Amino acid sequence: MEIIVFLSIVIAVVAVLTSIVLVRRVKKQIAEMTDALVDVKNGNGNRRILSATNELTAPLAYEINEIVVSYESRLSIVQQTEETNRQLMTSLSHDVRTPLTTLIGYLDAAHKGLVTGKDRDDYIETARRKAHDLKEYIDVLFDWFKLNSNEFALEIQSLETAELTRNILIDWIPIFEDKQVDYDIDIPEQPVRVRLDMDSYMRIINNLIQNVIAHSHADKIKIVLSKKENNMELLLADNGVGIEKEDLKHIFERLYKCDKGRSEKGSGLGLSIVHQLVEKMGGSITVESVPGKGTEFMLLFPLEI
């Protein structure tokens, strides 16, 4: 009987001591978590809470680490967005206010009779072109903001892309001829069905061609639509000035403008919009370029099964 009592007392003492050690360990871990969270709050997003898998606080430590990682990821996106918006405002100041001031100057001169005859007609024509340039720039900005808003939604449907692509390119032929750009268009007669958003597909083609017209200085453009295994393949190539290898890495980034292969015009958003739209519709886009020889864009979209 005495042995049983003695063993009970020993077990109780051991249990109490174990509990004390465990409580102290847990308190220490909680203090470490608190310290880590304060560090994260002060801006150290790389701080993590270390914990062995057999410790009581391990699940909590791992959960906090995941929250910190998620927080840092969202914070990075917010910071990138803020930087993009800042650059957009700077771009707006230069690319909208400056040509708008020039546009008003030409119109005021014509309106007040400071120029007459052919000079007046030239002033009005220049003002008209600048007004179209401004509209094109604002349209791209609108597309980019809409694409990156929570309200943007695609209307995916089955499209016959061969005929649709032909109809899109018909409107570009007069522009090719006016700009003295030779064009080689190869689109199959048989249907090519793909599930796409029609407006987005049209925007992709228009942006890519506009990029060639505005920045490549090409006098030849080639557009080929074909089936390749289980994909629709759309090739758009030109013989323009090309893009340097270093610039090619960043060609689809927002607001990126190459030092070569681009004029002073452009928002730096057109190819970024193309890349985002292609990905949102489950496709892929790649680009290859040789400086002085030309650039080739390749789009792939899964064929409708």
Side-chain angles (χ1 to χ4, degrees), residues 153-171:
L154 295 172
E155 187 178 339
I156 302 296
Q157 57 183 309
S158 176
L159 298 177
E160 204 288 276
T161 55
E163 185 63 24
L164 175 59
T165 305
R166 269 192 291 269
N167 290 334
I168 296 170
L169 296 179
I170 284 173
D171 293 334

Side-chain angles (χ1 to χ4, degrees), residues 11 35 139 218 226 242 252:
I11 292 172
D35 181 64
D139 284 345
S226 61
F252 295 118

Side-chain angles (χ1 to χ4, degrees), residues 61-109:
Y62 299 154
E63 187 67 25
I64 290 175
N65 286 338
E66 289 184 9
I67 292 173
V68 172
V69 171
S70 176
Y71 167 77
E72 280 301 305
S73 176
R74 294 181 183 181
L75 181 61
S76 176
I77 293 173
V78 169
Q79 290 172 340
Q80 290 176 8
T81 301
E82 288 179 349
E83 175 61 19
T84 298
N85 290 338
R86 186 191 66 77
Q87 293 180 34
L88 278 174
M89 291 307 298
T90 302
S91 179
L92 276 170
S93 177
H94 177 269
D95 296 334
V96 174
R97 291 179 62 184
T98 301
L100 185 58
T101 300
T102 305
L103 172 61
I104 293 172
Y106 278 105
L107 291 176
D108 281 347

Side-chain angles (χ1 to χ4, degrees), residues 165-205:
T165 305
R166 269 192 291 269
N167 290 334
I168 296 170
L169 296 179
I170 284 173
D171 293 334
W172 280 101
I173 290 177
I175 299 174
F176 293 151
E177 293 175 347
D178 180 63
K179 300 290 184 181
Q180 297 183 335
V181 176
D182 291 335
Y183 54 91
D184 179 8
I185 299 173
D186 184 4
I187 299 175
E189 292 297 328
Q190 64 271 27
V192 180
R193 302 207 70 86
V194 181
R195 291 188 60 79
L196 299 169
D197 176 86
M198 181 182 295
D199 290 339
S200 296
Y201 181 70
M202 293 173 65
R203 171 56 68 186
I204 288 168
I205 294 179

Side-chain angles (χ1 to χ4, degrees), residues 79-93 95 137 140-141 144-145 148 215 247 250-259 262-276:
Q79 290 172 340
Q80 290 176 8
T81 301
E82 288 179 349
E83 175 61 19
T84 298
N85 290 338
R86 186 191 66 77
Q87 293 180 34
L88 278 174
M89 291 307 298
T90 302
S91 179
L92 276 170
S93 177
D95 296 334
Y137 181 83
V140 171
L141 281 177
W144 187 83
F145 279 118
N148 288 275
H215 307 302
D247 290 322
H250 309 283
I251 197 69
F252 295 118
E253 294 178 7
R254 292 171 295 185
L255 301 176
Y256 188 82
K257 297 183 182 181
C258 303
D259 293 330
R262 287 180 178 268
S263 66
E264 69 281 357
K265 289 174 55 180
S267 63
L269 293 173
L271 293 180
S272 174
I273 290 173
V274 167
H275 187 259
Q276 290 185 69

